[in-house]
Amino acid sequence: MGEPLILGLETSCDETGVGIVRGGELLANEVASSVDEHVRFGGVVPEVASRAHLQALRPTLQRALAAADVDLSELDGIAVTAGPGLMGALVVGIAAAKALALATGKPLWGVNHLVGHVGVDILDHGPLPEPSMALLVSGGHTSLLRVDDLTRSITPIGSTIDDAAGEAYDKVARALGLPYPGGPVIDAAAAEGDPKAIRFPRGLTSRRDLERHRFDFSFSGLKTSVSRWVETAELEGREIPVADVAAGFQESVADVLTAKAIDACTEQQISTLVIGGGVAANSRLRSLLAERAAQAGVEVRRPRPGLCTDNGAMIAVVGARLAAAGIAPSGLDFGADPGLPVTRISI
């Protein structure tokens, strides 16, 4: 198969994504988000997300087909997120993908969501150098991955041992009385603050921690430190300098992420770093990473912000790579796996 035309479905959390790619060319990327329905709860409610996927999937699919100007009969295959993610949300996407595959007779691949966040960069910058290092930063995942072959060999180098970075952003935003989701509002508030005004701890960076968790992450202690700082200030009757707190918190997150990512590249002798996931759109993370990567001689590849968050295009491009590499389709008898390890690229 030359340049396979692949439809990708993504329903792992609160975005219903449908993407269509031809090889490494993006033809359509339609996303319907249910984030507004979760705002009043301060986080994603699985049942609400599942119902939203049911309602959004068909119209989102229709928009994608129209944008790409293709018919289902023209597809060479279908790819769908099989995990990790919310069980109910994953089931909706998988059921839809199986129905489409059965109706059209097209092959179906169940794809790892995290691999999608790595592979989506292909749509902006072409094939990944092998090996590459990937830093994935989102609401549910913070990981460092060695990518020797996007379709066959991905090795975890480090991961979060508690809260993911995006989760910490949401919790700190709540402590500061800022709306959900926390990532964009903290980033905006931090732009008006002084990152040196309040120094918050850097998780897993002490000498002892680095011996045991050199490439792992921890943001639970940071989140707790910010909450306690705010509580103490309130008890003392002081006005909360929201911008300075946001800037200090964000500087801590960016400092740890970038330092460990560059260290991993150096230790593994890898000169290309791909950054993906929703938090990859964060302005301070991007600027600090660019600075440190330049000093270390590491090339940083970042997909455009619209491809950093969950979307169907990232699943479609991995499906296209699997098809081109001759990886056997998944068939119709696989199920959702909320804890799917990143080493399983397809299910």
Side-chain angles (χ1 to χ4, degrees), residues 144-321:
L144 277 168
L145 310 171
R146 179 186 171 106
V147 183
D148 288 293
D149 184 330
L150 187 70
T151 63
R152 290 185 169 89
S153 179
I154 295 181
T155 306
I157 300 298
S159 62
T160 182
I161 65 173
D162 44 53
D163 291 355
E167 184 180 358
Y169 267 88
D170 290 339
K171 291 178 178 178
V172 167
R174 188 180 308 160
L176 291 172
L178 298 174
Y180 172 87
V185 294
I186 291 287
D187 197 10
E192 305 298 323
D194 179 1
K196 297 181 180 180
I198 309 167
R199 180 176 173 84
F200 291 112
R202 272 65 169 161
L204 295 184
T205 58
S206 70
R207 180 176 298 179
R208 179 177 296 181
D209 285 330
L210 288 175
E211 290 175 355
R212 296 178 297 173
H213 298 285
R214 181 175 176 181
F215 302 124
D216 292 325
F217 304 95
S218 170
F219 298 105
S220 179
L222 170 61
K223 172 256 302 179
T224 301
S225 179
V226 174
S227 297
R228 287 177 177 170
W229 195 99
V230 171
E231 290 170 2
T232 299
E234 290 174 338
L235 287 172
E236 294 175 352
R238 291 185 282 124
E239 183 178 352
I240 306 298
V242 173
D244 286 346
V245 173
F249 161 74
Q250 180 158 279
E251 190 68 16
S252 176
V253 174
D255 186 14
V256 173
L257 289 172
T258 56
K260 294 205 173 200
I262 297 301
D263 185 28
C265 289
T266 302
E267 193 270 343
Q268 295 279 313
Q269 298 182 326
I270 293 175
S271 59
T272 302
L273 174 65
V274 180
I275 179 170
V279 184
N282 179 267
S283 63
R284 182 52 181 156
L285 176 59
R286 284 178 173 247
S287 64
L288 186 57
L289 186 57
E291 176 186 327
R292 288 179 167 173
Q295 294 172 351
V298 173
E299 177 195 7
V300 177
R301 294 178 34 147
R302 293 176 290 253
R304 73 193 83 161
L307 294 179
C308 287
T309 53
D310 294 349
N311 61 84
M314 71 185 201
I315 304 304
V317 74
V318 174
R321 298 271 74 78

Side-chain angles (χ1 to χ4, degrees), residues 60-152:
T60 307
L61 172 63
Q62 291 172 333
R63 290 199 308 273
L65 291 170
D69 192 24
V70 300
D71 186 85
L72 287 172
S73 62
E74 300 176 63
L75 296 175
D76 293 309
I78 298 166
V80 62
T81 300
L86 302 174
M87 174 59 88
L90 290 169
V91 166
V92 174
I94 291 172
K98 288 181 177 180
L100 288 171
L102 188 61
T104 61
K106 306 297 181 180
L108 172 64
W109 286 268
V111 171
N112 191 299
H113 174 84
L114 300 182
V115 179
H117 277 304
V118 179
V120 74
D121 186 73
I122 293 171
L123 298 175
D124 276 346
H125 302 114
L128 292 174
E130 296 175 350
S132 293
M133 187 68 67
L135 172 64
L136 302 186
V137 195
S138 68
H141 305 279
T142 305
S143 306
L144 277 168
L145 310 171
R146 179 186 171 106
V147 183
D148 288 293
D149 184 330
L150 187 70
T151 63
R152 290 185 169 89

